[in-house]
Amino acid sequence: MHKKIHYHDTDCGGVVYYANYLKYFEEARTEFMLDRGVDLRELSKDNILFAVKNVDVEYRAPARYGDDLLIRTEITRVKNASLEFSQSAQKDDKILVAAKTKVVCIDNSFRPKVIPQEVNGRLNK
């Protein structure tokens, strides 16, 4: 996923505000799943939700207003009720920010739920 950095993405120092990377990574995970035929909105109608359990972020270098970033996303681990993602924000070939995110499958009562086989199959492509 490509992300153009706009003025509203930056802080008073002219660099991307650190918390914005969490939004970029969330958007990229959503697009990653959609590209594999997994529509989170449709799953929610069937009482299947995904929630972030934890995020480990390493900030290596700043992005600035006007930069065009490539947000890379891959699944590194699939369990019965969770997914682990590895993501990075890159400018050219340089990784600026790297993250590992674990999401859990839950129901509307926030209890863990096994990821449906059909969803699991699509994500393992």
Side-chain angles (χ1 to χ4, degrees), residues 36-53:
R36 283 151 185 81
V38 178
D39 186 332
L40 298 174
R41 182 177 29 198
E42 290 301 314
L43 288 176
S44 70
K45 294 176 184 175
D46 293 327
N47 196 27
I48 301 166
L49 307 168
F50 285 92
V52 171
K53 181 176 182 184

Side-chain angles (χ1 to χ4, degrees), residues 77-84 102-105 113 115:
R77 190 170 188 179
V78 178
K79 290 184 157 184
N80 286 338
S82 67
L83 304 169
E84 293 179 19
K102 183 174 187 176
V103 298
V104 293
C105 186
K113 184 172 186 136
I115 298 170

Side-chain angles (χ1 to χ4, degrees), residues 7-24:
Y7 185 75
H8 68 265
D9 293 311
T10 62
D11 61 17
C12 63
V15 301
V16 172
Y17 181 65
Y18 78 96
N20 285 336
Y21 290 102
L22 296 176
K23 291 192 299 186
Y24 306 158

Side-chain angles (χ1 to χ4, degrees), residues 31 42 60 62 72 74-75 80 88 93-94 118 123:
E31 292 301 319
E42 290 301 314
R60 299 179 184 176
R72 292 191 181 272
E74 66 178 298
I75 292 180
N80 286 338
S88 63
D93 290 331
K94 183 178 181 181
E118 180 182 339
L123 294 176

Side-chain angles (χ1 to χ4, degrees), residues 97-113:
V97 179
K100 294 194 182 306
T101 306
K102 183 174 187 176
V103 298
V104 293
C105 186
I106 59 174
D107 62 19
N108 289 335
S109 299
F110 300 101
R111 286 185 291 245
K113 184 172 186 136

Side-chain angles (χ1 to χ4, degrees), residues 1-2 30 34 49 72 90 95 117:
M1 178 185 101
H2 285 272
T30 300
L34 280 171
L49 307 168
R72 292 191 181 272
Q90 296 178 219
I95 294 176
Q117 281 186 325

